[in-house]
Amino acid sequence: MEKRFLGKTGLEISVIGFGGIPIQRVDKEAAVDLIEELNKQGINFIDTARGYTISEELIGCGLEKAGRHNFILATKSMVRDYQGMKNDIEISLKNLRTEYIDLYQLHNVRTEDEYNKVIGEDGALRALKEAKDKGKIKHIGITSHDLNILEKGIESGCFETIQFPYNPVERQAEELFKRANSLGLGVIVMKPLAGGAITNAELSLRFILENPHVGVAIPGMDSIEQIRKNARVGNEYRKLNDRERETILAEAKELGTEFCRRCGYCAPCPQGIDIPNQFLMEGYYTRYSLKDWAKERYAGFNNKASDCIECGQCETRCPYDLPIRKMLKKVANILG
């Protein structure tokens, strides 16, 4: 398996990692089989989160069987305060059946207010630093769908890794990755298949790995077949030829007519709707088949797609000319 160093962390990781969202759909026995298959295929990086329902617990069962020492383990938490993060770190350690976690990340920091809270005196970052000093975690990272937040994180000196969506249709972070790499931060690519929207997984992964600033891509997988297919990209790594590049870029262009890159330029919505997150939940529902989980998270939004009054202000700001009003109607029809 092709390996790269995750920035200055010193962690040598497989270029294909394991995204822990879809494992929620399988039972304990199947989860153990999946983790064992990762080891067989040379995939040594696993990324999960407290918010992925039973993902940590299932992965923990698999690690116990396949050998914790064979893997570099990352998880993350949505809590923003000091005590909440202290509690979540302990829960993660218990769930994952491990004495330490290689990388613990602040999960999906979305706004400047959230960012300022997590780095503040009573913020989650303080708890992560304390846990690192005690050896409970080895490295600290941050994830977001907002370029501005990660730009702050990169320049702060507080973090060792970043995680952001990247694929042939979502390329807005290329300069961000370059800057992160120059400062020694590791780059983790989430949504390498655009949340399941890209059908040609192999070409998408190979496209991503051509970027020298990327450390690892973490497609979500819930079957042995998916693991073997995706692992083959790293085990038999080769660059795209002209025909393959033309094929994947053509698919990206087609998706671009109704695909949100979560750049955030559509904000602010007069109705207070977080537009990119509406599309994110719809993607989890329709493409990841995480219907109950997506509906539960969507129900927690204060302002939903159904609150759209079709003023159209968002569409005038969208750099990709997306039919946002039409897309929000679709979300409302699916999620309520």
Side-chain angles (χ1 to χ4, degrees):
M1 170 69 69
E2 182 93 1
K3 289 186 170 65
R4 297 179 183 177
F5 284 102
L6 191 58
K8 292 181 179 178
T9 65
L11 299 172
E12 191 174 15
I13 59 175
S14 53
V15 291
I16 301 297
F18 180 79
I21 292 179
I23 201 173
Q24 302 170 78
R25 296 197 291 257
V26 307
D27 60 23
K28 178 180 174 180
E29 182 179 353
V32 170
D33 290 342
L34 291 176
I35 303 303
E36 289 189 305
E37 187 64 29
L38 294 178
N39 191 33
K40 292 175 184 176
Q41 296 298 325
I43 294 176
N44 72 349
F45 184 78
I46 295 175
D47 178 88
T48 182
R50 292 285 306 112
Y52 300 164
T53 63
I54 60 171
S55 176
E56 283 187 336
E57 292 95 321
L58 291 173
I59 289 170
C61 293
L63 291 172
E64 196 169 57
K65 184 75 179 294
R68 169 68 179 91
H69 62 284
N70 290 314
F71 296 95
I72 292 166
L73 184 60
T75 192
K76 44 196 179 289
S77 169
M78 289 280 290
V79 300
R80 306 307 185 209
D81 64 291
Y82 169 75
Q83 190 59 51
M85 182 59 82
K86 278 191 71 172
N87 295 339
D88 265 9
I89 291 168
E90 296 302 324
I91 294 170
S92 292
L93 288 166
K94 180 181 178 181
N95 287 344
L96 292 164
R97 305 187 184 195
T98 184
E99 295 181 355
Y100 69 95
I101 293 165
D102 297 284
L103 173 65
Y104 212 106
Q105 304 155 100
L106 294 169
H107 190 184
N108 194 21
V109 180
R110 295 166 51 194
T111 66
E112 286 199 28
D113 286 344
E114 284 189 14
Y115 180 82
N116 291 333
K117 181 174 178 61
V118 297
I119 67 171
E121 183 177 349
D122 193 41
L125 181 60
R126 177 181 153 210
L128 290 172
K129 288 180 176 179
E130 288 182 2
K132 184 178 179 182
D133 289 340
K134 294 176 181 177
K136 294 182 178 182
I137 66 176
K138 303 297 184 182
H139 305 281
I140 299 171
I142 182 171
T143 86
S144 183
H145 291 85
D146 188 303
L147 282 174
N148 294 325
I149 296 298
L150 288 191
E151 285 172 359
K152 288 179 179 290
I154 285 171
E155 303 298 336
S156 71
C158 295
F159 306 103
E160 297 164 272
T161 67
I162 60 169
Q163 187 176 149
F164 194 82
Y166 181 58
N167 53 64
V169 74
E170 295 180 275
R171 300 177 60 179
Q172 63 269 29
E174 288 180 339
E175 286 302 313
L176 181 85
F177 290 171
K178 183 177 181 180
R179 176 61 176 166
N181 185 263
S182 73
L183 294 175
L185 279 77
V187 173
I188 302 166
V189 168
M190 62 166 127
K191 307 292 187 296
L193 307 182
I198 292 175
T199 58
N200 199 320
E202 178 191 341
L203 296 187
S204 185
L205 291 171
R206 287 167 59 197
F207 174 91
I208 291 164
L209 296 180
E210 284 186 341
N211 188 324
H213 307 126
V214 168
V216 59
I218 51 170
M221 297 176 273
D222 64 358
S223 73
I224 299 294
E225 179 184 3
Q226 288 174 352
I227 290 173
R228 290 174 179 171
K229 183 177 180 181
N230 291 335
R232 195 174 301 123
V233 173
N235 285 324
E236 303 172 7
Y237 178 65
R238 64 190 192 282
K239 292 186 176 182
L240 298 170
N241 60 39
D242 291 342
R243 179 184 56 79
E244 291 168 331
R245 189 181 309 281
E246 183 179 337
T247 297
I248 193 61
L249 291 180
E251 181 175 0
K253 184 177 181 179
E254 184 177 349
L255 280 173
T257 59
E258 287 194 19
F259 188 85
C260 175
R261 280 84 163 173
R262 297 181 286 278
C263 66
Y265 291 128
C266 55
C269 167
Q271 299 304 110
I273 302 168
D274 184 337
I275 294 171
N277 262 335
Q278 311 297 308
F279 302 140
L280 185 62
M281 291 305 108
E282 185 264 335
Y284 282 132
Y285 184 96
T286 57
R287 295 192 291 270
Y288 273 96
S289 298
L290 293 168
K291 292 182 168 54
D292 292 340
W293 185 69
K295 292 195 77 168
E296 181 181 349
R297 293 188 68 183
Y298 178 80
F301 293 161
N302 292 326
N303 306 91
K304 301 178 177 63
S306 56
D307 295 318
C308 175
I309 59 172
E310 299 189 51
C311 69
Q313 291 185 32
C314 54
E315 294 184 4
T316 66
R317 304 188 194 107
C318 178
Y320 303 102
D321 297 319
L322 298 180
I324 296 175
R325 288 172 288 183
K326 173 186 171 185
M327 293 164 66
L328 286 173
K329 282 184 179 180
K330 179 182 177 183
V331 175
N333 288 336
I334 292 172
L335 295 177

